[in-house]
Amino acid sequence: MKQYNPVTAEVVKALQDVVGEKYVKTAPDVLDVYKSDESLAPSYWRTPEVVVLPANTEEVAEIVKIANKYNVPVTPRSAGTSVSCGAVPVYHGIVLLMERMNRILEVNEEGMYMVVEAGVRTIDIQNLAKSKGLLYAGDPCSSDSCLIGGNLATNAGGNKAVRYGTTRHQVYAIEVVLPNGKIANLGAPLKKCSTGFCLDQLVIGSEGTLGIITKATLKLVPLCPYRLDVLAVFTDLGKATALVPNLIKAGLNPTSVEFMDNNFVRSASDYSDLRLPHYEDGYYDIISIETFNEDELDDKMEKLAAICEACGATDVVEADDRVWTVRRNCLESTRVFSKVATSEDLVVPVTKIADCIQSLVEESKKYDFRVFCLAHAGDGNLHFQILKCDMSDEEWEKQLEEFRDVAYKYVYGLGGRLSGEHGIGFKRLDYMEKYTDPVELELMKSIKRAIDPNWILNPGKVISAD
Amino acid sequence: MKQYNPVTAEVVKALQDVVGEKYVKTAPDVLDVYKSDESLAPSYWRTPEVVVLPANTEEVAEIVKIANKYNVPVTPRSAGTSVSCGAVPVYHGIVLLMERMNRILEVNEEGMYMVVEAGVRTIDIQNLAKSKGLLYAGDPCSSDSCLIGGNLATNAGGNKAVRYGTTRHQVYAIEVVLPNGKIANLGAPLKKCSTGFCLDQLVIGSEGTLGIITKATLKLVPLCPYRLDVLAVFTDLGKATALVPNLIKAGLNPTSVEFMDNNFVRSASDYSDLRLPHYEDGYYDIISIETFNEDELDDKMEKLAAICEACGATDVVEADDRVWTVRRNCLESTRVFSKVATSEDLVVPVTKIADCIQSLVEESKKYDFRVFCLAHAGDGNLHFQILKCDMSDEEWEKQLEEFRDVAYKYVYGLGGRLSGEHGIGFKRLDYMEKYTDPVELELMKSIKRAIDPNWILNPGKVISAD
């Protein structure tokens, strides 16, 4: 296993020379803040030896050079909203905070793009685009707190991915500090390109293992003026999940299709003190449709209602604020049942989501934990929330391991993968090694070795260090 | 420079053992067929020492292992419709023909994908999708003769890229024979994924330098039942090209926006023996709009007409078969003026296309060749057809070199690139080395070295061998 040197006073001094004394933190209480993310998985947390806050790309590059010189690892960190321990410094060393690099450098309405530093909050990008009558279509559920750099590193998904794709589809170009400290500009603000290797997409989603993204040129698209959200209620799980491919095939081009199982319908309704249709036995699909004109919206709504009914929906109503409140409160509502929980981020082909949910819910009945299911159903992304409830720690770990082995094997058999939008991080590293095709895994490692021979950048994530 | 061994009788024997004697060709007249592509640039052509036709992925893998063992290069070749000398065996050695691997393995209507071998003709994929009421949206101009493997290798663009993106956007997954002879399955039939590096996109568009794509799982999308093509005629070049960003911003989501300058309007009209509006002074934009319902089409047509008129169009009429005949005959029509010609494939941000065309047309007046301009304007992709006419070979080479230096510098200054859809191949290799940012170039080379340490796969393309 890769060995690193400790962060010595000499390293700290070198970092101070780059960013200034004020922006190098070594106080234990500060370091403690950066040991974790939002995964609530203390066994994966690690405390950094030093935290640095660079002001610009050149400083990031210098920090990476220092890391190579002294053989200490660098873990880049955005807002720390990851739930996969992607920003946890597995080998300690340096945590590099992007939050000072928070400038929006250009909004080009004519060219429909925005140039931002990596530390800009996603919601600020969304709001600025909206104020210009445009849409930035990346929309992770944590958009009000996460930073765009983290979205890019994990290829974050979210609420609009069915129609607009994930974060990697919103990008024209990125500026990246490579593991050797050189600065690369990858991609270009072009609608098409056949000029060399597609390096921007290689770095996006690599979770900071192949480079630290410092800037991005983001695509903006026309903002749809018309929108309607529909709640389709089913009393049959299979029917509720079978709706999705029919919506896609009909050309309805929904912005999102969200699924909630009855566990979540009940718990989130209770938590929100709201009563929605079929509280006792309902499975919910919430479908958002956006259009550029009113007639088109009317037409799509008619088609949508017909499809929902043909698929066996019990109720098809407009999804008002109450529905979204319930949806938003899902995760929070499970705390009543269990303070300890873990979430899965499985993704399967859209046509398999009905089978997958049914099979895994059935499988979960063999265990003592409780499983609640939410899905970004329109893109096949399944979030199982697994609640420890009153299990012992030992049983919890043991049964979780058993369930995951069954579930992951099944999901890979369907053509699915471990993570749809949260990333592998540290949390899923062992499973990544176990379930990934060995040829693919070796290809990833050979690229990592070539680009980062000292294995300096974010070691212990995605693939294990040699 | 990288040195290879000659293809000896021992190598030929080893190849015969893999694919059978019948599928190993060494007759000079056969080898001669595979020295060129459709670039009409004899100075770039090279004759292979042997041509092999594998029947399946395993045979491709064995051939690549033989190439490594004997240190002979392998150049994969699809239909040879490239105009960038991407399939020319620069270092001679083995040309590997994909044409026997021409099976469509699965059409999944429910999952909306098709699994094909790399040697399937693109048009067969399009037609089969259409027969199922679906669309395969990759549509290079050579779709009736090109093979899907070549489309994937070059990230081919074509006629529908404005709305649907280029070939790389039509792909869920690929099977690839890596330069070490191992078989990798990259990507998955998923709408979203954050599980490891995006290796499928790295290999797609790498022009066979990082792996030989043997199979692909292609996305199918709902087929729009309504379509109308409009010809907007302008008598001002600036106005004709300024139309594009306005169409995009209005949310019209055109399938294609094609531009023809007046040189092409005249030559292709003459060649086709057809008279269209403003033959003498017209610049043409041909806009295709597709929708899922008739009202939406009517609405978009109204908007389109209004935008064209606001942009200064002289005529806005339906583009009938005559218009498409003229468009299709563009390149052929220039043969009257010059048997020798070369085409550029520059791409710039869509908002810069007006400036770019005007500046380069102006620049071209300083030279003795003639320049005709076609553009996939909706995606910023410019095809200059440069006609040698009666220049001497020496002057032609000299002036072409001068013009390219000015043009490429200018295009890169605008954020553009050398190739929008044809690829770098052998033809643009020197320019790639000259105009690419050195950090990006070195990153490409370090990945190539890591994956293909013997530099066996398609050497002399995209990046130069060490």
Side-chain angles (χ1 to χ4, degrees), chain B residues 239-449:
Chain B
K239 287 178 183 169
T241 49
L243 177 70
V244 187
N246 288 299
L247 297 178
I248 310 285
K249 274 189 84 166
L252 286 183
N253 197 16
T255 301
S256 73
V257 185
E258 298 287 300
F259 166 81
M260 292 168 60
D261 76 356
N262 187 250
N263 283 330
F264 269 126
V265 169
R266 286 171 180 242
S267 70
S269 296
D270 290 345
Y271 182 91
S272 316
D273 201 18
L274 286 167
R275 275 294 169 280
L276 295 171
H278 285 274
Y279 166 87
E280 287 83 7
D281 60 354
Y283 298 89
Y284 286 5
D285 284 323
I286 315 170
I287 303 114
S288 299
I289 304 256
E290 296 174 309
T291 67
F292 286 98
N293 82 49
E294 212 166 349
D295 291 343
E296 191 190 341
L297 187 66
D298 292 346
D299 180 68
K300 285 192 169 178
M301 281 299 141
E302 245 174 68
K303 275 192 192 156
L304 173 60
I307 293 170
C308 288
E309 274 154 35
C311 287
T314 311
D315 293 66
V316 182
V317 297
E318 191 179 334
D320 57 19
D321 279 351
R322 298 178 314 147
V323 173
W324 287 114
T325 301
V326 167
R327 170 65 185 82
R328 242 191 327 273
N329 286 334
C330 276
L331 290 187
E332 201 59 31
S333 72
T334 62
R335 300 266 165 102
V336 179
F337 303 102
S338 180
K339 285 214 166 49
V340 177
T342 187
S343 66
E344 296 295 336
D345 178 36
L346 300 165
V347 60
V348 295
V350 174
T351 48
K352 309 285 188 189
I353 199 157
D355 287 349
C356 185
I357 292 176
Q358 286 179 296
S359 296
L360 295 184
V361 165
E362 201 51 41
E363 171 66 23
S364 74
K365 291 177 184 164
K366 301 178 188 164
Y367 304 85
D368 297 324
F369 44 67
R370 291 189 67 184
V371 171
F372 286 30
C373 178
L374 267 183
H376 300 305
D379 45 39
N381 187 199
L382 255 167
H383 292 316
F384 279 108
Q385 188 73 2
I386 309 178
L387 309 178
K388 183 175 178 248
C389 302
D390 52 6
M391 293 172 76
S392 71
D393 287 355
E394 203 190 353
E395 270 302 306
W396 165 244
E397 291 296 339
K398 187 172 156 278
Q399 292 194 22
L400 201 55
E401 187 73 23
E402 283 171 21
F403 176 69
R404 282 180 173 153
D405 266 338
V406 173
Y408 295 171
K409 210 168 287 172
Y410 173 74
V411 161
Y412 271 73
L414 294 177
R417 292 291 182 269
L418 279 177
S419 171
E421 59 179 12
H422 294 165
I424 298 304
F426 181 29
K427 186 177 163 191
R428 297 190 179 90
L429 184 70
D430 291 344
Y431 296 107
M432 182 75 181
E433 298 270 332
K434 185 167 177 182
Y435 289 99
T436 305
D437 178 276
V439 177
E440 183 183 356
L441 199 63
E442 184 47 38
L443 189 55
M444 285 191 224
K445 290 188 181 181
S446 65
I447 291 171
K448 170 71 173 171
R449 274 182 224 114

Side-chain angles (χ1 to χ4, degrees), chain B residues 71-129:
Chain B
N71 188 35
V72 295
V74 177
T75 302
R77 182 183 173 104
S78 289
T81 58
S82 166
V83 289
S84 306
C85 306
V88 165
V90 177
Y91 293 87
H92 313 285
I94 301 167
V95 160
L96 189 151
L97 288 187
M98 300 301 293
E99 62 192 47
R100 286 178 70 207
M101 295 176 61
N102 60 358
R103 291 176 305 160
I104 293 179
L105 302 171
E106 186 189 354
V107 192
N108 191 313
E109 291 174 68
E110 181 69 11
M112 298 174 73
Y113 65 81
M114 198 186 297
V115 184
V116 301
E117 290 185 322
V120 175
R121 280 198 313 165
T122 307
I123 198 170
D124 294 336
I125 295 167
Q126 293 171 335
N127 286 341
L128 183 56

Side-chain angles (χ1 to χ4, degrees), chain A residues 110 154-155 162 187 190-195 197-198 201 209 222 248 293 299 348-349 351 379 381 419 421 423, chain B residues 110 154-155 162 187 190-195 197-198 201 209 222 248 293 299 348-349 351 379 381 417 419 421 423:
Chain A
E110 181 71 10
T154 55
N155 183 28
V162 185
L190 303 170
K191 296 265 300 176
K192 72 202 301 194
C193 189
S194 296
T195 309
F197 303 167
C198 186
Q201 293 297 335
T209 62
I248 310 287
N293 82 50
D299 180 69
V348 294
T351 49
D379 45 39
N381 187 197
S419 171
E421 58 179 14
Chain B
E110 181 69 11
T154 54
N155 182 27
V162 185
L190 304 170
K191 296 262 304 174
K192 74 202 301 193
C193 190
S194 296
T195 308
F197 303 167
C198 186
Q201 294 296 336
T209 61
I248 310 285
N293 82 49
D299 180 68
V348 295
T351 48
D379 45 39
N381 187 199
R417 292 291 182 269
S419 171
E421 59 179 12

Side-chain angles (χ1 to χ4, degrees), chain A residues 115-176:
Chain A
V115 184
V116 300
E117 290 186 322
V120 175
R121 280 198 314 165
T122 308
I123 198 170
D124 294 335
I125 295 168
Q126 292 171 335
N127 287 340
L128 183 56
K130 204 170 174 183
S131 75
K132 307 286 182 187
L134 294 166
L135 172 73
Y136 169 68
D139 191 23
C141 299
S142 57
S143 64
D144 56 350
S145 52
C146 64
L147 309 183
I148 189 69
N151 297 180
L152 292 161
T154 55
N155 183 28
N159 303 315
K160 297 190 172 74
V162 185
R163 175 165 177 157
Y164 297 101
T166 57
T167 300
R168 70 164 74 256
H169 303 109
Q170 320 307 328
V171 186
Y172 276 127
I174 49 174
E175 180 191 75
V176 185

